[in-house]
Amino acid sequence: MLNPEPTGHGGAEGPAEEPGRRLLQRRFTARLLPQLRLLVEECAAREGLNEPRRGEFVLAVDEIAGNAVEHAGGAGRLVLRRVGDELECRISDAGPGFSETVIPELLPGLDGAPKGRGLWLARLVTDRFAVTPGTGTADRQGAVVTVAVRLH
């Protein structure tokens, strides 16, 4: 089972008072990714995000969570919230960190990049995409990836 976390504390995701209404907060590992996808889809449906946008949003979240597991130590943390007319998902990890500049502009593979399709796709199908540094140590800074879609 995915472990719920207490709400209202700071950390890599930002200050204790975050905007919007929190819908879901979970730590995850590779084993929990399928359940995480279902929870995100259920929350998105409850908030009125219709298909095909709901499927695209769930795909984007899944790609980012999968990257956290694969490249950042096997785990991450997801916070899903409703902020105004947007559904926003923030995924943080404790990996080496990266910046948006590593995400290719063209479809990965066409420009010689062997990887990067998941982040490229997430940026393509969401209305807002941002990568910011985490709050870890110098060698394991971590990253925070935020994606959002408009509900209407």
Side-chain angles (χ1 to χ4, degrees):
M1 175 159 206
L2 293 171
N3 296 324
E5 297 178 2
T7 60
H9 70 282
E13 297 71 40
E17 293 300 319
E18 297 166 326
R21 179 170 44 93
R22 189 170 297 175
L23 305 171
L24 179 66
Q25 179 173 303
R26 296 289 189 274
R27 292 191 185 279
F28 60 87
T29 61
R31 182 178 62 81
L32 300 173
L33 288 176
Q35 186 179 12
L36 190 68
R37 279 190 300 273
L38 290 173
L39 290 170
V40 169
E41 182 160 11
E42 288 171 1
C43 287
R46 252 192 331 269
E47 293 302 309
L49 185 60
N50 295 319
E51 291 294 351
R53 293 295 285 160
R54 184 169 65 235
E56 293 170 348
F57 181 70
V58 172
L59 175 64
V61 169
D62 185 53
E63 289 293 339
I64 296 163
N67 275 357
V69 167
E70 183 178 348
H71 302 291
R77 182 171 181 260
L78 176 143
V79 177
L80 180 67
R81 67 175 55 85
R82 170 106 182 232
V83 181
D85 69 343
E86 287 186 328
L87 194 57
E88 177 188 272
C89 186
R90 187 173 291 177
I91 296 176
S92 57
D93 62 50
F98 70 100
S99 72
E100 270 185 77
T101 60
V102 302
I103 305 168
E105 290 295 322
L106 298 173
L107 174 63
L110 297 179
D111 63 355
K115 296 187 177 186
R117 287 178 182 90
L119 293 173
W120 176 83
L121 183 62
R123 185 173 61 189
L124 182 70
V125 301
T126 56
D127 297 317
R128 185 162 45 94
F129 180 97
V131 178
T132 56
T135 58
T137 63
D139 63 333
R140 301 294 289 176
Q141 182 176 23
V144 179
V145 180
T146 304
V147 293
V149 293
R150 286 185 295 280
L151 292 166
H152 308 295

